[in-house]
Amino acid sequence: MNTAQTTRACETCPAHNVANLVKLGINLEGTDYVVALAGNPNTGKSTVFNALTGLRQHTGNWPGKTVTRAEGAFSYSDKRYKLVDLPGTYSLLSTSTDEEVARNFILFGQPDVTVIVVDATRLERNLNLALQVLEITDRAIVCLNLIDEAQRLGIAVAERTLAKDLGVPVVPTAARRGIGIQDLLHTIHDVATGAVIPKPKRIVKHAPQLEKAIGSLAESLQSKFPGLTNARWVALRLLEGDDRIISAVRTGEITSILSLTELPRETVGEGVLE
Amino acid sequence: MESHALINPEIALLWAGIAISILAVVFWPNRGLWARWRRTLQNTRRVRIEDALKHVYDCEYKQLTATHKSIAGALSISGDEVARLLERLEGLNLLRSEGEMLTLTEDGRAYALRVIRMHRLWERYLADETGVSETEWHYQAEAKEHLLTIEQADALAVHMGNPSFDPHGDPIPTAAGELPERRGIALTQLRPHQYAEVVHIEDEPTAVYAQLVAQGIHPGAHVRMISSDKNKIEVEVEGVENILAPIVAANVAVVPVGRVTRTEKAGATLADLAVGESARVAGISRACRGPQRRRLMDLGILPGTLVTAEMRNAAGDPTAYSVRGALIALRKNQARMIHIERNGANGV
Amino acid sequence: MNAISNDDILLKAGNLRWEVGENLHDSLMESLYTEASRIADRVVTRSGAPGRFNWDRALDKLLTGRWTGFPIMILLLMVVFWLTIAGSNVPSSLLASLLLDTVHPVLRSLGESLSMPWWLSGFLFDGVYLATAWVVSVMLPPMAIFFPLFTLLEDFGYLPRVAFNLDHLFRKAGAHGKQALSMSMGYGCNAAGIISTRIIDSPRERLIAIITNNFSLCNGRWPTQILVATLFIGALAPPALSGFLSASAVVAVALFGIALTFLTSWFLSRTVLKGEASTFSLELPPYRPPQVLKTLYTSLIDRTILVLWRAVMFAVPAGAVIWLISNIHVGELSIAEYAINWLNPFGLLIGLNGVILLAYIIAIPANEIVIPTILMLTVASTGVSGYGEGAGVLFELEDNLQYLSVFQAGGWTLLTAVNLMLFSLIHNPCSTTIYTIYKETGSVKWTLVSSLMPIAMGLSLCFLVAQVWRLATAGG
């Protein structure tokens, strides 16, 4: 009886890490789910943010515009969502403050959904960031924005193939005109509630020598922290000397973060519901 | 109202001039009284102890023998001073001397490694995160290594993502005091037509180092031996021919590489691209470091990337390039760090 | 199973790091981009005819061209300034008549009807309220016009092209091309200009842009320049030319500000900031038609209200201080008069006077209230009759002749006027800006440098001008 209830209850339970989100300054009052918005600069990320929340955040046509993290809220199908607009970055691997803010939020805040906004007219450059985000989190959606502009330029993106290649839902939008926003809301809802479970394909191959080092380190990690969902990624970060991850491994905090999706969820949800 | 109670303008100007001269004498960078005073404060007993330990450690690492004489030379102090210094070191149980031969104790070795760690971390910091010129790194680190606390050094390492190597290619000892074996052979030992990658450049003596820097030799650079005899050594560095004196070349450590990698063939850089021309990126020069390098890679400038020069500022600099669908303006001095292959662009 | 400890793993990682060497990050980025381009190749199809007309490139040719780039840029900037100045006159005077001439008397009589003690109503309504209302009425209209216009240009994608056009000039000064934008923004408001330096991603160039932003004459300082130039400089020429001469004087001061920006940038990048890291990257985004209504709304919320709010927060205590020092008497004189007497010898030495120096000290929250403060203090300290509304009450005058007579009563000469114009350009930033600098840099050191460097420069320059002036005029 107990297990059956747990599984059913879990489908609607949020997965985010309450303690870490509060530490990151997010007020969770009256929020069922937390959604993060990531993307390159100048992809219309802020426009998507405005289209979802109805807020009028300024959207400059200028890289590096959203410097601080903006927050908004919206409701969809009786659930209340908190939307966090992360700084626009080209990558999550460098050491700039923006990138650290974005990466730590996705990694330690464990948002219920991470929406990666990509520019349909410049897919290749945007996929670089998308692939990096997918290394960290499972619960992601790719928002293929600016499809109107792509159409004008004669660029067609096969979104189904893209979804299959990446292993996560892909929603084409033209946020400036409100096209695709309903689909996006629906998909966010599906992923947040667990109706759809994305399975990102982590297919990036590295140089042989590096692969060997990653493999051997990941093996040790795996045996020490069974259930770690992305040991390879943690291994890579250790090799890069990422101090936040080093200390998370040292203290064992790493288990509570990265294998969270495998744990019974109600233990995490309690904090939010009271 | 103007005239009364006012100081005569000539006298006012005179006083102002005197005040400015005094300020200049006191605060002039490097030569002012303030700077001199700071320097004398730094030249303490601690500095000598640490420098001596470093020297002995360095000798051990290179499998040479440290002697009284070599310490006197390295620290430029007299024989009497050396004797007193060694006495103190032995008293602190950092060093043992058997006749002329000097060896470090466990404590002494750990101490020396700490100082070396600070030195190399600081060099790395200067290289990656500041605009301090390359020839000044070593000099500034020589002073800084005695001033950092262990906590500061660790915080610095964390801040930089725990780097493993200093900008000269030397490994940085870990906080626990580990250091890998020395690698590479001297550039002079390369056979003609052999390819190699520079792994280390000795940063002392400063004049030799400055010459190597000026000739574009830096860790990660690809070199090819053309010919060598006892008077001169001819090498190709990143596609440019250079002539070095053997004594200078001996300060460069290299690891032979088998195949011809892309960077070394490329003489041309992005800066040579005319507007409307396309080329593929062959690689980013190793001399481009830290956030600058990472930013270029984040923007998608990587080996194999197709780049087209789209427009050039009327004054000739900067130039906007289209890179993976985006238009990105780079300055000439950055574009020079990006090697290209022109014929590779035809395949598109 | 848990035979190995967490530290063992870290040790292993540490050892592996020596092996993988320095190129880890490079090879990582390479494999990521390789994968990205493999996927993109599979899913993207381009159907556009290859020879299709490229609007973006054509516009770029026009906007960054050798012969067209600069004229278009200057024209656009002039249009923006003209619209700001011309457009803000009417709403500014409307706001002033509402807040200063209507609401203020109402508040005062309200105080009387409630039988408030004179010091309370004076402190609240003449001090705090009046200074705040003044700042709002002078500051709000130009900012509400300037920022949206600027934002429209930004959204269209034009501003990065300006940075591209001007980068070679800034590069020679050791600065970043994007500084052109934070500078222009500074003409609206230095605090907003400093916030806009966020777009400069290189630490050194961003600091340079922040420290030198003060040399962009903000819109709180234009009225001072125009008033003083009209009264003293314009009067030097025959009436037909006086307008032209005073306008030229103001433009000369603004250009001097630009020259100082470059000079200081150059100096800073070679001395104090020599060791700071420097990177350059400038993405030129595709042109996109701006969404006019949305822009008006968001730039009002984002920039205008934010800056105005900060200004009001600083104007409140300033209003209180202005009123208090004029009304608290120690013996015969008010605190303000003591301060003026004390500052006067130094003020006169550098070709200004005690009133002006005190006004700049207490009106630090906003340059907008410098002139009213000078007027009030001059009237209070010289005892000119017929002007003013009482101790500590800011006021404005009807026409230029009245201004002139008050200033002349205060002992002003042509030298005072010239030095006031210079000092208005080169002095410490207003407290709103200083606070913003602190917020943006997070460093006390750089906040101090940005505040103290201009004041030292301003005082030295005024001193020098005064001495040379006196030497020259004494001879003749």
Side-chain angles (χ1 to χ4, degrees), chain B residues 1-2 4-10 12-13 16 124 128-132 136 161-167 169 171-174 176 178-180 183 197 219 262 284 286 291-303 310-315 317-320 322 324 326-334, chain C residues 11 14-15 17-18 21-27 29-30 33-34 36-37 57 60-61 64-66 161 163-168 170-172 174-177 201 203-205 274-285 344-345 348-349 351-353 409-411 413 415-416 463-464 466-468 470-471 474:
Chain B
M1 195 153 179
E2 266 278 339
H4 78 94
L6 264 185
I7 306 170
N8 183 322
E10 281 145 348
L13 280 175
R124 179 69 191 222
D128 282 5
E129 309 210 5
T130 72
V132 174
E136 269 182 58
N162 296 308
S164 310
F165 296 93
D166 80 357
I172 299 173
T174 60
E178 294 145 15
L179 197 64
R183 52 182 191 144
E197 183 181 324
R262 274 180 290 196
I284 305 176
R286 268 278 143 208
Q292 174 97 314
R293 184 182 189 85
R294 289 186 172 216
R295 176 45 53 93
L296 288 178
M297 291 193 295
D298 288 345
L299 290 170
I301 298 172
L302 290 157
E310 292 285 352
M311 54 188 190
R312 187 155 281 160
N313 182 301
D317 190 16
T319 306
S322 80
R324 296 182 196 252
L327 195 58
I328 288 159
L330 296 177
R331 287 179 175 173
K332 207 179 262 169
N333 59 358
Q334 293 172 294
Chain C
L11 202 65
N15 286 333
R17 292 188 69 203
W18 300 115
E22 262 196 298
N23 292 329
L24 173 66
H25 189 79
D26 288 30
S27 104
M29 289 305 292
E30 227 178 305
Y33 260 115
T34 310
S37 86
R57 224 36 87 242
D60 272 337
K61 276 222 168 71
T64 65
R66 184 185 291 265
R161 270 75 187 178
F164 181 77
N165 281 341
L166 293 176
D167 184 65
H168 65 283
F170 283 93
R171 181 176 46 93
K172 281 177 194 149
H176 197 295
D201 51 8
R204 176 168 75 180
E205 282 74 4
K274 198 171 150 201
E276 299 286 325
S278 153
T279 62
F280 178 86
S281 76
L282 173 63
E283 187 179 340
L284 303 172
N344 217 25
L348 290 175
L349 174 70
L352 295 168
N353 62 36
T413 61
L415 171 64
T416 321
F463 170 81
L464 203 70
Q467 307 320 315
V468 171
R470 282 175 190 142
L471 281 177

Side-chain angles (χ1 to χ4, degrees), chain A residues 232-243:
Chain A
R232 274 175 56 87
W233 187 82
V234 177
L236 198 55
R237 295 315 299 161
L238 289 181
L239 289 175
E240 275 237 75
D242 184 324
D243 207 71

Side-chain angles (χ1 to χ4, degrees), chain C residues 67-275:
Chain C
W67 306 114
T68 47
F70 271 75
I72 291 176
M73 190 173 68
I74 289 165
L75 197 74
L76 275 173
L77 278 182
M78 273 169 59
V79 168
V80 168
F81 285 128
W82 181 77
L83 282 175
T84 307
I85 292 166
S88 57
N89 268 337
V90 176
S92 240
S93 55
L94 273 178
L95 266 179
S97 73
L98 176 71
L99 295 177
L100 306 178
D101 304 339
T102 315
V103 177
H104 183 231
V106 168
L107 284 174
R108 265 187 160 178
S109 54
L110 184 78
E112 271 166 38
S113 67
L114 290 175
S115 53
M116 273 187 188
W118 70 272
W119 53 267
L120 185 62
S121 74
F123 177 78
L124 287 180
F125 305 138
D126 296 343
V128 172
Y129 171 78
L130 204 57
T132 313
W134 207 291
V135 169
V136 170
S137 68
V138 184
M139 213 168 170
L140 182 59
M143 288 207 305
I145 297 174
F146 183 80
F147 289 143
L149 285 177
F150 218 76
T151 313
L152 282 178
L153 288 179
E154 180 179 354
D155 282 2
F156 173 58
Y158 179 62
L159 295 189
R161 270 75 187 178
V162 172
F164 181 77
N165 281 341
L166 293 176
D167 184 65
H168 65 283
L169 293 175
F170 283 93
R171 181 176 46 93
K172 281 177 194 149
H176 197 295
K178 289 180 189 168
Q179 192 177 329
L181 310 179
S182 62
M183 257 175 88
S184 317
M185 195 70 102
Y187 286 104
C189 169
N190 293 131
I194 279 155
I195 295 176
S196 74
T197 60
R198 286 175 183 178
I199 56 175
I200 302 175
D201 51 8
S202 168
R204 176 168 75 180
E205 282 74 4
R206 176 153 185 233
L207 270 174
I208 290 176
I210 287 177
I211 296 171
T212 58
N213 196 272
N214 192 36
F215 297 124
S216 289
L217 208 55
C218 72
N219 85 50
R221 292 183 272 174
W222 286 100
T224 310
Q225 298 285 346
I226 294 168
L227 178 72
V228 176
T230 314
L231 293 182
F232 289 89
I233 314 270
L236 295 175
L241 287 174
S242 71
F244 176 73
L245 187 64
S246 51
S248 313
V250 176
V251 172
V253 169
L255 291 177
F256 183 52
I258 294 178
L260 276 180
T261 302
F262 279 104
L263 216 71
T264 322
S265 300
W266 181 85
F267 178 77
L268 286 171
S269 69
R270 270 156 191 79
T271 53
V272 197
L273 292 172
K274 198 171 150 201

